[in-house]
Amino acid sequence: MHTPHSRSVGGGNAPFWLVCQTAIKHQKKKKKKKKRKSTVNSKMHRTVPSLPLAPSMKVKLINAGFQVASDLTDMRPLQLCKEAGISQEEAVEVLQVLRDDGQPHQQRAATESLTALDLLHQEQALGSIVTFCSALDDALGGGVPVGKTTEICGSPGVGKTQLCMQLAVDVQIPVCFGGLGGKALYIDTEGSFLVQRVADMAEAAVQHCTLLAEDTEQRQALEELTVEKILSNLFLVRCHDYVELLAEVYLLPDFLSEHPEVRLVVIDSIAFPFRHDFEDLSQRTRLLNGLAQQLIQLATQHSLAVVLTNQMTTRVSNGQSKLVPALGESWGHAATQRLILHWEGLRRLASLYKSPSQMEATIQYQITVQGFRDAPDEPRTTPDSSAVSSPSGNHSKRPRMEDLS
Amino acid sequence: MVILREGICPGINEEFIKALQSEDIKTVEDFVSCNPEELAQKCSLSYKALVAVRRVLLAQYTAFPVSGADLYEELLSSTAILSTGNPSLDKLLDSGLYTGEITELAGSPGSGKTQVCFSVAVNISHQLKQTVFYIDTKGGMCANRLLQMLQSKTPNMEEQMEALQKIKVLRVFDVFSLLACLQNLRSNGLQKASVGGGSVKALMVDSVSAVLSSMLGGKQNEGMSLLMQVAGELKMIARDFSIAVLVTNHVTKDGNGHLKAGLGQSWSHVPRTRVLLQRIEGAETSSLRTATLTKSSRQACHLVEGFDLCHWSEERRTSISGKRKLEERSKP
């Protein structure tokens, strides 16, 4: 790679390039040593600008000469304080951040990879929440998936809140009946949550399970499944504006670590607090994107399903108007799955618009006294055959799902 | 700007640094730019020591120039082209994803970016038998869907499991975790994976805009720096390990209402090739998509190809627009 220089005139020692070569070899040896070290401590290679610290702090650290996180790990707070010119509290904070670097969960996720095969096993274990409308369950691949965020958009009165309340009841169906046996957290921003309606839905669900109970395990579980129990496992939070909503989502990790049986978080609706009096639209987009990332992180780390409700707005183009989901173009990317509920004459239809694993489909549903159900026109055959012949051939269907649909 | 410290080179110790600091020389740059003779006279340090240290520092911190011919040979031997499995997309990308480069897929929600990433990952792990790293920032990774795609390619269970094991998934949800993840991959993750048998040839990040868009704009002054750090890490990974990097991006509307890829002008210089995915007007619920080449260093821009997400390995017979003629003329 290098052309050897001629020997330097006038008493130089070795030619320049030779010195360089030896220095480079020495450097390479040092680098090899460093590599061995880095397998022991995975933080050695993180550069200071990539650490989650305040920008002004990072500027001070870089000016003091710290380029890599490994430069900082052996420092004491007083030393750091003197060299970087920051206060003692800030120095302690910096070393703290380096030590945990977020939650241990996050750090593991960033460094350890799963193979897709492991992920497949995990997904099969997670399951999904039924909606009691078998057509919708088939379209969604078994129900609302756990570990992902689902967005439900629709015009007023089409049934978004009804579906959310139905899901809050359905997540509590015991495991022996094919459900998840988990609790639900309902964050209400519109004030449209009605306890009486949930009680009706809960009663209908209990009756449905009673009809299906076959063996002793199921009958035992049924004794505990009462309307009171279902209502007591449903946590309700009322948020009045977007600041309360953001604070609530920020506090969710603590809540979820105290209540690990929560399997569903519903935010009804996420559009309402952000559409009122929000002047700075770019700030709204940023806040929403940050919120979406926090929610998907919660969904993945705590194994829960997050359901968001969105409103519709009109878009005028080429002289025609169309109903599209609200909150803008970039919000469309936020949720993992998107379900759009709309009217067609007197029929209520649900379209799966965006999903990583399911085909797009449109199905009809209806809202009855018992809750969210199949439309009467589409005759479903016997529950067993419908479960077996489902088109997507999904492997995530839990073995007992035939009992339920 | 590298500050002179003990231990960055043999011969530099505490006294040395103190003597230099008294002459107001704090960084390596200051040191190598001043004359060692003058320095020897001003401080109480020997000329030989100064010259020796200077040589070592120059060797450590200099970038060596490489001739164009060597570079070309290196490129020829290390670049590989990974087919995406879809003939239309391969045509658009000039026969596939090139290693050492970043390719970007942009599209509105539901336009199929994640599906294209899945199809490409499945093709690389099953057909080409190479390892793929998939960084998921949106929760869209669905191993079930990967299994479905593999099942349509081969009925052999063992092959399917083997292909699934070659796809490694990392899930990060904010930009600092993404940077930690990329830096970890660069320092030891990729080497570990290639040691275990099967070289890593592709890295996918779905999506880069989900973690960056909340940091850009407004009164935040760190957004651009983080965007450039992510770009730098991806480029270094692509270059050093000869890996094809595929990223996805969201779209926004520009002044005239046309779709353009997100993250602004600064990001637009980062990927070498950019493709815009769109649904077909009027066929909203079908699985047909069009891919438009919006930036490429090898082909004429604005080439359009249509393809079907469901039938990945088949070629679309009907042309989408009259741009076919342009394509024929541009091919040598």
Side-chain angles (χ1 to χ4, degrees), chain B residues 108-121:
Chain B
S108 14
S111 57
K113 309 183 285 296
T114 309
Q115 296 302 309
V116 172
C117 286
F118 283 174
S119 309
V120 174

Side-chain angles (χ1 to χ4, degrees), chain A residues 128-140 142-145 150 152 162-171 173 201 307 339 350 363 365-367 370-374 401 404-405:
Chain A
S128 41
I129 308 176
V130 280
T131 58
F132 273 170
C133 168
S134 46
L136 188 57
D137 287 340
D138 286 339
L140 289 173
V144 171
T150 308
I152 304 176
Q162 299 295 310
L163 179 54
C164 291
M165 294 197 283
Q166 183 71 59
L167 289 170
V169 168
D170 291 346
V171 72
I173 293 173
M201 288 185 176
V307 174
L339 200 60
I363 56 102
Y365 66 92
Q366 66 167 355
I367 314 273
Q370 288 122 4
F372 201 84
R373 295 285 187 273
D374 269 307
M401 209 58 105
L404 213 47
S405 50

Side-chain angles (χ1 to χ4, degrees), chain B residues 18-36:
Chain B
K18 279 213 176 91
L20 288 175
Q21 276 182 351
S22 62
E23 287 300 314
D24 208 20
I25 293 181
K26 295 215 182 84
T27 65
V28 171
E29 286 88 344
D30 297 336
F31 183 71
V32 300
S33 36
C34 59
N35 194 343

